[in-house]
Amino acid sequence: MAKNFSDKAFEALQARIINGGLRPSTPLDIHRIASELEMSVTPVRDALKRLEAAGLVEVIPRSGTFVRHYTIQDLIRGYELVEALDGMAGYLLAERVSAGVVDAAELEGALTPLVDEMEENLAQDQARKWGELDARFHQIIFDMSENTFIASSYYSVRNQMKSVLSFVSPIHVDRMNSVREHRAIIAAIVAGDSERARKICQDHRGLIRQILKDLLLQA
């Protein structure tokens, strides 16, 4: 039973952090959280330890526990990793298509409707919906690459950065250009062109990293 409560606390707090309900540097009071979740402090304490291990929470000696604050430099380093992971995932999936393990038509049928819907949600007030579709698009690629090490690493770093990037992406990302890039990714993967898929996937993420580098220079 205690484990179930620990999982519940972990999932609730993780969702709040990732979705921006708990902003970076927000103090996390164990007793208040336990009261809100209607449970004892023990599972909440366990959940916070897990969130610290996941990079979403930080403990500052003699100060307390806080939602981790990521600097722009942290985000740049994170996106350096994402670029590499995305490129390899695209490469592996294209390789599986080329080998006949993944059906190209079925894959295109799964990815293209997401991009079509992204193109229908380009407005500023639709940025959250657009971001959700973008995440689903890349999730399919990572999951179908059949490399759990790559996929788990990607989800971990994305979760760490998502709460911050949700405030950066709607303002600075050229969503129409991104839609075009998503279509190019689909074309390379379904053609089984591994090297091209790798390059396009990496370049796609590289644009975000460049935006972050520009913001760092402006800071």
Side-chain angles (χ1 to χ4, degrees):
M1 184 62 71
K3 183 178 185 297
N4 290 336
F5 279 119
S6 176
D7 289 343
K8 178 183 176 181
F10 175 82
E11 291 168 4
L13 291 170
Q14 181 187 53
R16 291 183 195 177
I17 293 170
I18 291 174
N19 295 329
L22 289 171
R23 299 291 299 276
S25 300
T26 298
L28 299 170
D29 181 86
I30 292 178
H31 295 281
R32 182 178 59 79
I33 294 170
S35 177
E36 289 177 357
L37 297 178
E38 299 181 340
M39 61 179 66
S40 68
V41 298
T42 300
V44 174
R45 185 177 290 112
D46 291 342
L48 290 176
K49 288 179 180 178
R50 290 168 61 187
L51 289 165
E52 182 184 11
L56 295 175
V57 161
E58 60 183 339
V59 178
I60 300 177
R62 296 182 296 279
S63 295
T65 303
F66 301 84
V67 176
R68 183 168 176 179
H69 171 73
Y70 283 91
T71 65
I72 293 178
Q73 185 63 63
D74 291 330
L75 295 174
I76 291 170
R77 289 170 179 153
Y79 253 82
E80 289 171 351
L81 175 58
V82 169
E83 274 187 56
L85 294 172
D86 227 313
M88 197 63 209
Y91 178 94
L92 291 173
L93 183 51
E95 192 174 56
R96 299 185 76 221
V97 170
S98 180
V101 178
V102 173
D103 184 89
E106 290 184 7
L107 179 61
E108 186 172 16
L111 294 175
T112 298
L114 292 174
V115 181
D116 291 342
E117 194 171 352
M118 289 170 69
E119 193 164 7
E120 296 169 0
N121 288 271
L122 295 173
Q124 188 75 13
D125 61 357
Q126 297 170 315
R128 182 175 293 275
K129 174 66 174 178
W130 190 93
E132 291 171 355
L133 294 163
D134 174 68
R136 285 163 56 191
F137 177 93
H138 290 285
Q139 180 177 344
I140 290 173
I141 293 175
F142 274 95
D143 289 347
M144 294 191 70
S145 73
E146 286 291 298
N147 187 314
T148 56
F149 293 103
I150 289 177
S152 62
S153 296
Y154 168 73
Y155 295 137
S156 176
V157 71
R158 182 173 176 81
N159 282 346
Q160 291 175 33
M161 299 186 298
K162 187 175 179 181
S163 62
V164 181
L165 289 173
S166 63
F167 296 98
V168 174
S169 297
I171 300 172
H172 299 282
V173 172
D174 182 340
R175 289 188 287 281
M176 188 64 247
N177 181 65
S178 184
V179 165
R180 288 191 288 269
E181 291 177 347
H182 280 79
R183 296 196 189 281
I185 289 171
I186 294 173
I189 292 176
V190 301
D193 190 337
S194 298
E195 288 297 343
R196 180 163 175 74
R198 186 210 302 268
K199 184 178 188 308
I200 295 175
C201 286
Q202 286 191 220
D203 290 349
H204 174 65
R205 296 299 193 178
L207 289 176
I208 296 290
R209 184 165 61 87
Q210 187 57 55
I211 289 171
L212 293 168
K213 289 173 71 175
D214 292 342
L215 290 174
L216 182 62
L217 291 175
Q218 296 169 18

